[in-house]
Amino acid sequence: MEIKEWLQVWQFEHNPFVIFDADRDPYLQTAMVENTSLRSVLLHLEKPSPYVIFAIRGAGKSSMRIDTERYLRQYEDKVLVISYVEFNELLSEVSRPRRLPIEYSANKSALARIFKRKKEEPLAREAKMTLDDHLDYILKLGIEELYGHILEAHKEDMLKDNREIAEKFLLLTALYFAPNDLSSKVSALRRQMEIAGYKKKSNFFAKSQAKFLAGEIYRYIRGVPVSLEGTFKIIQEIGPGLFEFHGIPRTTENRFTLLKSFMELVRYFGLSGVYLLVDRVDEPTSIKGDPEKMRELVTPVLDDQLFQIDHLGIIMFLPYELHDLKKYYRSDRIKTISSINWSAENMIRLIEKRMNVGRKPGSPPLQLADIFEEDGESKAQFIVRQLTPRNAFRLLSIIVEEHCGTVIYGVKISTEVYESAVQRYLIEKEGY
């Protein structure tokens, strides 16, 4: 019997037992079982606070993060939501060799290289990911979200009322926002904020000053792509004074100053704070689930100073293999959820909701026990005790495969087929 034929008999429009990655699951939103009790623990919209959540693979970390993000975005007038889940660009930028064209280098030794006809200065590389790299990328994601919020909520005019706030917004946008038309965006923002532009001078020293400053920004920001030519144009547009007065990210303390400025902006625009949701640390192509590489990526984020930023609620969804990282942070400041546990009741709700969402409109409700010839309740109970949704759905997939591979035609699954499928599942699970 073909699996497609069996699905049609049960009026399924798609296979409800196929395992998807949460971020690419087309049925996650309609089939999600909301964990309202966990939400009430995690989320405090008036003053976001930090949490670290550990869970074994397949327990639903990413589903929970997606559900949390979807819930928070209903309150976009109250909090800013930053999803920090894609690390490939960051890891690639940090690891690649970097060279600075000599005309952008303010180092005295650069003059010697000019005479030696060397065109580039090789830049020093850190061996591992640093807190600075994470802070740069968080500021990039943050200013992009805030920029979108300001435009969507039509709050641009608020920038005219406070010059200091306007300058901080312009600085963060110039440093970290990276659309293709950034120079024109910065120019438009400057005019809208009524901040005087840089008096452009055509002499050599004015251009050199702008180039050297662009080179310094490129030198110190590793994790975020920086366009030297684009940054040079922005400095020519708004002048070096804004960068020199407020500072560029040369040190970790500079970055924390910029992060506090960002949080000040968030509060100025009427938001209570920021939720930073960190997930999928095991998925980058250069990590592929390696625990040691995950630790190298995650450990710098667990910095006490970062978690002390007021109104910044960092929620980290981490694989259980990183459980030992608890020693790197203070439990009195960062609350920990040591595991995501699924009760049998919630597991059966999730499975049956997914089954019924996948059926043709108007089909009568279907229970998991209904697909078995006999002892359906006891078989369903065994399935829902498989610790994680991923395990339960994998077992169900094997049961359906075994059934369709055994019978010529049959709607309900026999005990013999069920037991054979369970044996295959257990062997697969143990890795034999």
Side-chain angles (χ1 to χ4, degrees):
M1 185 180 188
E2 295 290 331
I3 291 178
K4 183 178 179 180
E5 186 182 1
W6 184 85
L7 293 172
Q8 288 173 344
V9 171
W10 284 106
Q11 298 184 306
F12 288 119
E13 293 186 316
H14 62 265
N15 190 338
F17 308 131
V18 170
I19 301 170
F20 290 96
D21 178 85
D23 285 280
R24 291 175 280 277
D25 187 345
Y27 314 109
L28 180 65
Q29 186 169 349
T30 53
M32 184 73 187
V33 173
E34 297 175 351
N35 195 329
T36 53
S37 60
L38 187 61
R39 275 185 192 167
S40 66
V41 171
L42 284 179
L43 307 179
H44 305 280
L45 299 182
E46 296 308 314
K47 189 174 182 181
S49 53
Y51 268 89
V52 177
I53 301 166
F54 296 97
I56 62 175
R57 182 173 174 80
K61 293 187 304 297
S62 293
S63 298
M64 184 184 299
R65 186 259 307 165
I66 292 167
D67 181 58
T68 300
E69 182 176 351
R70 187 166 60 234
Y71 174 78
L72 286 171
R73 290 202 182 276
Q74 298 176 50
Y75 300 93
E76 289 184 327
D77 58 330
K78 294 184 179 180
V79 292
L80 196 73
V81 184
I82 303 173
S83 186
Y84 192 16
V85 298
E86 295 291 343
F87 298 96
N88 280 320
E89 181 183 56
L90 172 64
L91 289 162
S92 175
E93 285 294 318
V94 167
S95 63
R96 72 180 178 87
R98 300 169 71 244
R99 306 180 76 85
L100 182 66
I102 291 300
E103 66 265 29
Y104 287 92
S105 177
N107 284 356
K108 292 181 180 178
S109 59
L111 291 172
R113 292 191 182 92
I114 290 175
F115 292 113
K116 291 180 180 178
R117 297 185 180 180
K118 290 188 177 181
K119 297 181 179 180
E120 293 179 322
E121 174 194 349
L123 299 181
R125 293 170 60 189
E126 293 283 346
K128 296 180 180 179
M129 184 73 63
T130 67
L131 176 60
D132 289 355
D133 301 322
H134 282 292
L135 289 172
D136 285 335
Y137 212 83
I138 289 167
L139 284 165
K140 170 188 181 293
L141 296 174
I143 200 63
E144 288 172 355
E145 284 288 340
L146 184 60
Y147 189 99
H149 169 80
I150 292 169
L151 294 184
E152 189 174 332
H154 306 291
K155 295 180 178 179
E156 304 98 308
D157 287 346
M158 291 178 66
L159 292 165
K160 297 178 182 178
D161 302 331
N162 189 317
R163 183 180 178 87
E164 184 181 355
I165 286 289
E167 287 184 355
K168 288 177 178 179
F169 180 74
L170 191 59
L171 175 69
L172 286 167
T173 302
L175 286 172
Y176 292 110
F177 196 22
N180 293 329
D181 58 343
L182 178 59
S183 181
S184 61
K185 274 186 169 61
V186 168
S187 177
L189 280 170
R190 177 187 61 75
R191 290 193 299 271
Q192 186 165 10
M193 297 172 190
E194 299 177 353
I195 293 176
Y198 179 42
K199 293 180 180 179
K200 301 179 180 66
K201 300 177 182 178
S202 58
N203 64 69
F204 170 81
F205 293 104
K207 285 187 177 180
S208 295
Q209 183 185 17
K211 281 194 171 184
F212 290 162
L213 184 55
E216 287 293 280
I217 292 169
Y218 181 84
R219 181 189 303 276
Y220 289 104
I221 297 181
R222 296 191 314 156
V224 175
V226 175
S227 165
L228 274 170
E229 184 178 349
T231 304
F232 169 64
K233 287 180 180 178
I234 290 166
I235 295 168
Q236 283 193 305
E237 172 63 40
I238 62 179
L242 187 66
F243 297 89
E244 291 169 349
F245 179 77
H246 290 284
I248 64 172
R250 291 184 174 91
T251 66
T252 304
E253 286 309 308
N254 291 155
R255 288 171 170 85
F256 273 112
T257 299
L258 291 170
L259 181 58
K260 288 174 183 176
S261 295
F262 171 72
M263 296 303 297
E264 186 183 351
L265 289 170
V266 168
R267 301 280 287 168
Y268 177 77
F269 286 106
L271 301 170
S272 63
V274 174
Y275 270 105
L276 176 69
L277 307 181
V278 182
D279 187 23
R280 298 177 63 187
V281 301
D282 56 334
E283 295 187 18
T285 51
S286 62
I287 291 180
K288 295 181 179 177
D290 185 315
E292 285 308 311
K293 291 181 179 179
M294 285 192 278
R295 284 187 183 87
E296 289 180 8
L297 174 64
V298 172
T299 303
V301 182
L302 299 172
D303 182 270
D304 192 48
Q305 192 175 350
L306 178 58
F307 282 88
Q308 288 186 66
I309 301 289
D310 282 340
H311 301 278
L312 174 60
I314 303 175
I315 303 181
M316 303 184 73
F317 298 85
L318 301 180
Y320 194 80
E321 296 94 314
L322 304 185
H323 201 263
D324 61 310
L325 292 183
K326 287 193 292 185
K327 64 188 177 187
Y328 289 103
Y329 60 84
R330 290 178 53 173
S331 58
D332 60 328
R333 288 187 177 150
I334 306 170
K335 295 177 182 177
T336 301
I337 296 176
S338 296
S339 63
I340 299 175
N341 299 314
W342 283 82
S343 66
E345 180 184 358
N346 276 341
M347 189 79 84
I348 197 75
R349 282 177 57 212
L350 174 66
I351 293 170
E352 292 182 349
K353 187 173 183 181
R354 197 170 184 91
M355 288 171 63
N356 286 290
V357 162
R359 301 182 78 210
K360 292 179 181 178
S363 301
L366 181 65
Q367 295 183 334
L368 179 56
D370 295 339
I371 68 173
F372 298 103
E373 282 184 354
E374 55 188 6
D375 297 325
E377 288 295 337
S378 64
K379 292 179 175 64
Q381 284 303 308
F382 177 81
I383 292 167
V384 301
R385 289 199 300 270
Q386 296 311 302
L387 295 179
T388 71
R390 187 185 299 270
N391 287 347
F393 283 109
R394 178 56 187 152
L395 174 54
L396 282 164
S397 293
I398 293 174
I399 291 170
V400 172
E401 289 172 12
E402 287 286 319
H403 173 75
C404 294
T406 302
V407 304
I408 296 174
Y409 181 83
V411 178
K412 295 203 173 191
I413 298 165
S414 69
T415 298
E416 183 181 359
V417 167
Y418 166 80
E419 290 176 349
S420 174
V422 168
Q423 188 68 24
R424 175 183 154 192
Y425 161 77
L426 292 174
I427 291 171
E428 179 184 294
K429 187 179 175 186
E430 294 299 325
Y432 294 137

